[in-house]
Amino acid sequence: MSNRRKPIVSTGDRLLGAFGARTVIGIPYVWLLLLFLVPFIIVMKISISESDGIHFKDMFTISDGTLTWNVKWGNYAFLASDALYVKTYLSSLYYAAITTLICLFIGYPFAYFMARSPAAWRPALLMMVMLPFWTSLLLRVFAWKGLLANNGVINDILLGLGIVSEPIKMMNTSFSLVIGMVYAYLPFMILPLYANLVKLDIRLLEAASDLGARPLTAFWKITVPLSKAGIVAGSMLVFIPCVGEFVIPELLGGPSTLMIGRVLWDEFFSNNDWAMASAVAVVMVLLIIIPLAIFNKYQTENAAREKGRA
Amino acid sequence: MKSKFGLGWLIAVYLFLYLPILTLVVFSFNDSRLNTSWGGFTFKWYAEIVNDREIREALWLSLKIAFFTATASVILGTLAAFAMVRYTKFRGRTLFSGMINAPLVMPEVIIGLSLLLMLVSVQRAFGFPERGIMTIWLGHTLLGMAYAAVVIQSRLMEMDKSLEEAAMDLGCRPHQVFRLVTLPMISQSMVSAWLLTFTISLDDVVLSAFLSGPGSTTLPIVIFSRAKLGLSPTINAVATVMITIVAVGVIFGSIWLARQEKKRAEEQAAAYREAQPT
């Protein structure tokens, strides 16, 4: 890109002019501001408003010429002091991290072998990773209920083969929760890894081998560092949504598998405490803000790289 | 040895991905109410869902929402992709790219809660909108637009800008450039973005639950509330129907896309041949 002469006017401007630029950028911009940023600011506001559940006082009131702030930090104080909330946040981070690691462990070799497979196979192999992703996640998670239940398919097989004498309890445990999340998010790990590994210049590995590096050394010193961008992207795509996952813990988790997404849901739908639900959401965003920034940086850099190649 | 291990790994992961789907399909034909033991072949669960008014109405509503979501997402996503690719510098671009990327990973409970609280504030101030199809559509389109933007963006980046510039140099007007050059180049990615956002909308539980009102129950909400109660064979039948629809759609869609790609490559090759001096 650097050796190319930069056009004086961008193609977009030449094509559409200043008015067009304002329309093309403006419409999605306003849409995102109104439906993504403003709502979140409202959540922050509500989390510190005085309320009776679902009605909120104004931020400040002016009476007799004096300005009174109606801000209360009580929800946050409660979040920090209540051991169960703290434990739930930690446990959500823990399950998200475990899920990410398992996805990486399964997904990396998978993407690697896929990228090393004959070129003619690759589109079909890729298609087969995408296909489950197109079918309903809800239904695929539901399927695990039937597989993991005490009288489910897996236990039936184990009993039938005489490997166990009584059914293993798998449903509503941390096992079923993690297996559900790994299952649901594995394609999100595989796709960026594959996109990265398939571009890897095989000659680098040949050179390493010629210079006497063993395959494993070459793998750790060349393949892994060069696929770092894919590892980061895949891990963020799995980790961030897993922290706040609701559907999978609700269907496959149990009372002991604490997840913050369920807590937020219950505060909102069962307790009707909107202010508390908002505070829970704000703290959750604070926990994922750094991974979010990393993800955004990766997406932007990736876009710049693609553009540089074109 | 190494390639055998590799092949084994691939097969094992594919089994992991497909076995649950397979069990759904198999058990949808199971005569026993239990989801485990095989009680013989039957179509009765399919008959049951055909007669289930709640499921029929929810499916119809979900399809409507998915259609409008996909259409709006592709329009907004195309604009956003253009903004990101064709304009490298404008004020607030960092915020813009952040807001496009965030919905891809942001936990849905947060998006759902904040959208709902915003809509409630608007409703208290202006008296509308009521929660229902419209508000679900807004939420789904926020999510769908982000996905559509990513899909179309990657296609736009691959596309050679000089084609558009050549068309302009040859005197095409902007709308002609868009219609004759840009649109044919990105139309395939728009189709796949449409299909993707359609399925995302058709599947969404969390946003729909936050944003739905009385009388606007989508199919995933019905499935989710039944699934929570336990294993129900009718869900297997619903699942099989949906999987079949999606599989058929995706397979025909990709065949069509592959044909278009081939046709375009041939046309391009022909154009180059003609342009070549003899």
Side-chain angles (χ1 to χ4, degrees):
Chain A
M1 196 161 113
S2 52
N3 56 3
R4 254 207 215 162
R5 193 171 52 87
K6 282 252 169 72
I8 300 157
V9 188
S10 76
T11 318
D13 271 336
R14 251 193 94 185
L15 194 57
L16 297 164
F19 172 74
R22 250 173 298 191
T23 320
V24 168
I25 300 170
I27 292 172
Y29 212 130
V30 169
W31 174 270
L32 284 167
L33 281 178
L34 287 182
L35 292 179
F36 190 73
L37 198 64
V38 171
F40 191 68
I41 293 169
I42 292 175
V43 166
M44 290 200 273
K45 184 196 143 229
I46 284 177
S47 72
I48 51 169
S49 300
E50 289 188 35
S51 74
D52 61 346
I54 61 169
H55 291 275
F56 304 97
K57 272 195 190 165
D58 285 334
M59 277 265 105
F60 51 85
T61 41
I62 303 171
S63 58
D64 303 333
T66 48
L67 181 106
T68 335
W69 286 93
N70 300 314
V71 173
K72 77 168 195 187
W73 299 98
N75 289 324
Y76 290 99
F78 188 64
L79 273 185
S81 64
D82 190 301
L84 192 63
Y85 282 108
V86 177
K87 224 175 133 186
T88 309
Y89 277 114
L90 291 177
S91 131
S92 307
L93 291 175
Y94 168 78
Y95 284 121
I98 293 275
T99 304
T100 310
L101 284 177
I102 297 176
C103 280
L104 189 60
F105 177 77
I106 300 175
Y108 196 97
F110 185 86
Y112 181 85
F113 294 130
M114 219 165 95
R116 292 281 158 277
S117 68
W121 293 13
R122 284 181 215 154
L125 291 177
L126 193 63
M127 184 74 193
M128 277 164 66
V129 177
M130 295 284 283
L131 206 56
F133 179 77
W134 287 83
T135 60
S136 165
L137 171 74
L138 175 62
L139 292 168
R140 285 182 292 132
V141 171
F142 168 74
W144 279 100
K145 266 177 103 105
L147 284 167
L148 297 173
N150 273 353
N151 54 358
V153 175
I154 292 176
N155 267 321
D156 274 2
I157 293 172
L158 290 177
L159 285 170
L161 292 175
I163 297 171
V164 293
S165 54
E166 54 186 85
I168 311 170
K169 170 141 175 75
M170 290 184 283
M171 263 306 289
N172 306 114
T173 62
S174 47
F175 175 74
S176 56
L177 173 65
V178 170
I179 217 171
M181 295 215 291
V182 168
Y183 178 74
Y185 286 97
L186 189 58
F188 289 95
M189 179 65 89
I190 292 173
L191 294 176
L193 280 174
Y194 170 77
N196 209 283
L197 286 166
V198 81
K199 281 184 286 188
L200 189 93
D201 192 344
I202 202 90
R203 284 172 304 181
L204 291 172
L205 294 174
E206 286 167 5
S209 160
D210 288 347
L211 294 169
R214 288 189 202 182
L216 207 60
T217 320
F219 176 77
W220 282 113
K221 296 222 153 151
I222 295 171
T223 312
V224 171
L226 281 178
S227 55
K228 206 185 115 203
I231 297 176
V232 172
S235 302
M236 294 304 119
L237 277 169
V238 176
F239 180 80
I240 304 171
C242 274
V243 173
E245 180 59 50
F246 169 75
V247 171
I248 302 170
E250 185 74 9
L251 287 180
L252 299 177
S256 62
T257 53
L258 302 169
M259 289 293 279
I260 199 65
R262 283 175 91 179
V263 171
L264 191 156
W265 184 280
D266 288 341
E267 292 290 358
F268 186 84
F269 286 103
S270 313
N271 302 348
N272 261 320
D273 192 343
W274 293 10
M276 195 66 203
S278 301
V280 169
V282 171
V283 174
M284 203 198 301
V285 170
L286 287 179
L287 287 179
I288 56 176
I289 198 101
I290 292 170
L292 266 175
I294 296 173
F295 175 69
N296 188 43
K297 185 167 158 270
Y298 164 84
Q299 288 282 84
T300 319
E301 276 174 6
N302 197 35
R305 235 194 336 269
E306 289 275 323
K307 219 172 177 182
R309 284 196 309 134
Chain B
M1 179 61 211
K2 198 181 158 194
S3 80
K4 247 186 207 162
F5 176 74
L7 197 64
W9 196 277
L10 289 180
I11 292 172
V13 174
Y14 281 124
L15 282 179
F16 175 63
L17 288 176
Y18 281 91
L19 267 185
I21 301 177
L22 196 69
T23 56
L24 281 180
V25 176
V26 170
F27 280 111
S28 73
F29 299 107
N30 183 10
D31 203 10
S32 157
R33 198 156 246 298
L34 288 171
N35 222 352
T36 53
S37 45
W38 184 254
F41 188 86
T42 181
F43 277 119
K44 72 176 173 196
W45 308 119
Y46 290 89
E48 209 165 283
I49 57 168
V50 171
N51 294 321
D52 192 325
R53 217 176 124 208
E54 192 188 20
I55 284 185
R56 266 196 343 248
E57 280 173 1
L59 174 66
W60 176 232
L61 181 76
S62 286
L63 288 174
K64 271 194 290 193
I65 294 176
F67 177 82
F68 289 114
T69 297
T71 308
S73 298
V74 168
I75 295 170
L76 286 166
T78 308
L79 290 176
F82 256 91
M84 289 298 294
V85 177
R86 290 286 184 261
Y87 298 94
T88 41
K89 277 190 191 119
F90 57 85
R91 225 182 308 153
R93 191 175 185 274
T94 319
L95 177 66
F96 186 65
S97 79
M99 286 193 302
I100 291 227
N101 290 330
L104 298 175
V105 286
M106 189 69 107
E108 274 187 68
V109 282
I110 297 180
I111 301 181
L113 176 75
S114 44
L115 258 178
L116 175 68
L117 292 180
M118 193 270 289
L119 290 168
V120 168
S121 310
V122 172
Q123 200 198 0
R124 280 178 188 169
F126 301 105
F128 80 100
E130 285 295 319
R131 267 187 264 170
I133 301 185
M134 170 77 180
T135 51
I136 299 175
W137 170 80
L138 276 176
H140 286 190
T141 305
L142 174 68
L143 198 62
M145 166 199 186
Y147 277 92
V150 170
V151 172
I152 296 165
Q153 199 181 333
S154 66
R155 179 69 194 157
L156 262 182
M157 274 181 310
E158 285 171 9
M159 183 184 152
D160 199 345
K161 259 196 304 203
S162 52
L163 288 173
E164 283 171 340
E165 304 204 328
M168 280 185 281
D169 289 341
L170 293 170
C172 269
R173 305 189 61 81
H175 67 92
Q176 286 175 313
V177 177
F178 183 75
R179 199 160 42 86
L180 297 171
V181 181
T182 319
L183 203 58
M185 300 282 282
I186 62 167
S187 60
Q188 291 169 32
S189 66
M190 286 166 81
V191 172
S192 37
W194 195 92
L195 289 171
L196 181 65
T197 46
F198 187 88
T199 53
I200 288 173
S201 166
L202 199 59
D203 186 35
D204 178 80
V205 188
V206 176
L207 290 183
S208 310
F210 273 101
L211 299 171
S212 71
S216 58
T217 313
T218 62
L219 185 61
I221 296 182
V222 174
I223 295 173
F224 183 65
S225 54
R226 290 194 192 178
K228 262 199 309 191
L229 296 176
L231 295 162
S232 147
T234 48
I235 301 182
N236 292 333
V238 174
T240 308
V241 171
M242 283 178 71
I243 288 167
T244 314
I245 292 173
V246 170
V248 169
V250 169
I251 289 167
F252 276 99
S254 44
I255 291 174
W256 183 80
L257 287 177
R259 278 217 188 123
Q260 291 288 316
E261 180 82 37
K262 210 174 143 201
K263 206 172 105 193
R264 217 189 58 208
E266 277 166 7
E267 277 173 6
Q268 237 171 32
Y272 281 131
R273 265 199 309 278
E274 254 170 55
Q276 214 102 118
T278 40

